[in-house]
Amino acid sequence: MNPVVSFLLFIISPFISFLSSLLKPTSKTSFVIYFMFGVLFCWHMGAVQGNQYDDYFSIVERFQGSIYTLTDFWNILCDFVTFQTNEKEVYPILLNAVTRLFSDNSHLYFAIASIPYLLLSLSCVRILVKDKNFPQQGIWALLIIFLFIIPRDILTVQNPRYTTAFWLVNFVLLKYYDRATKNRAHYLLLLLLTPLIHSGIVPMVLIFILYLCLPKNYGFIKKLFYISIPFSFFSYSLLSQLNYSFLPANLSLYVEAHVDEDYYNKYVAHTGSSGFFWVQNLFDNLLYWGYVVITFLMIKWGAHKDYWYGKMFQTLLLLFSLSNFVRFIPVIGDRYIWTVQSLVVFLLCKIFYPQKKRVFVFILFLWSFHIFMRWFYRGAGTLLVNGNIYYDNLYTLITDYL
């Protein structure tokens, strides 16, 4: 579609413009539409009719309960890098301070938070689609892009810390291993910023840096992956019995909070949830083991032999091993598998597309239950944003929350 027509259509109906951009999902115009609609979507984030959805309420309460200036942010940042503060990360403080420059409106907070998220995630997608073998339009292009972003989609901006750090890590990994990258050291420096956004990223950063520093031994890395798999069966109760006082104060509090019984009941046992939660657990495990099987297949197919992406595959195996080792830790265990999921799709596309393209259909099947539960049964598309995002014009959608 002509860019002028696309932007005019965006003024009349942003959502229809977004849908039309999917006809040629890899074009530059489509990426601009994705960005604009994403910001508009996050501007509309709110608990519709008072419904609770994931972390949204807690993030709003945190924003409304604290007021920061850019001076506050700078002072806290200085204390953070000199280990003189109890703050775990400073990114939320920066978002708060930037938002307060303009308004106390929480809708603006999420719109601003969406900007780095969208810049990073769309930059990753651009790296994915720029290969000459990538289909420029059609169902396969949409499917691969969708599976690449679904682990941390636009809905996750409701809690912008981890989802922004997630895409920053992905961006660094993809650029570091990109054949067109000239100075990879710049991206390593960028990687060191991720703990400022979310402290839970630190183990991933350390694993990657350690991999770069040590001699590359694919046989050892592959064995480590195999050894890590039984750890994914470990029980949470093992962690709850340990004493974490030997860790630094901030870190021990963080770990103890994640192994607390109440935390476990809420995020793992889901006490008080529907009796059908066992179905959720079943499909969670199906999704996890599906990615394990796909990784086994990639090992069998010789992904490590690829000239450009073989070393990225070794990094994937290390991150998957880390994910296996911590899988039984509530919430933390999930976070590392999300990065693995995106990298699996990326490497499948770069190394094995189109020869193994049916694997993408298998991955879609693995995600099918979660898509249904997230977007339809629990109604994220209507519980987290008002329904008029799908039919109103641009002017109305902007002025709704001014």
Side-chain angles (χ1 to χ4, degrees), residues 129-146:
V129 306
K130 73 177 183 180
D131 193 283
K132 64 180 181 180
N133 293 325
F134 191 90
Q136 296 304 298
Q137 56 189 9
I139 190 65
W140 287 108
L142 287 174
L143 177 59
I144 295 170
I145 293 172
F146 175 73

Side-chain angles (χ1 to χ4, degrees), residues 40 43-44 105 388 393-402:
L40 194 61
W43 168 252
H44 266 250
N105 187 344
N388 70 327
N393 59 67
L394 178 61
Y395 175 79
T396 300
L397 293 175
I398 290 177
T399 57
D400 272 347
Y401 296 108
L402 288 177

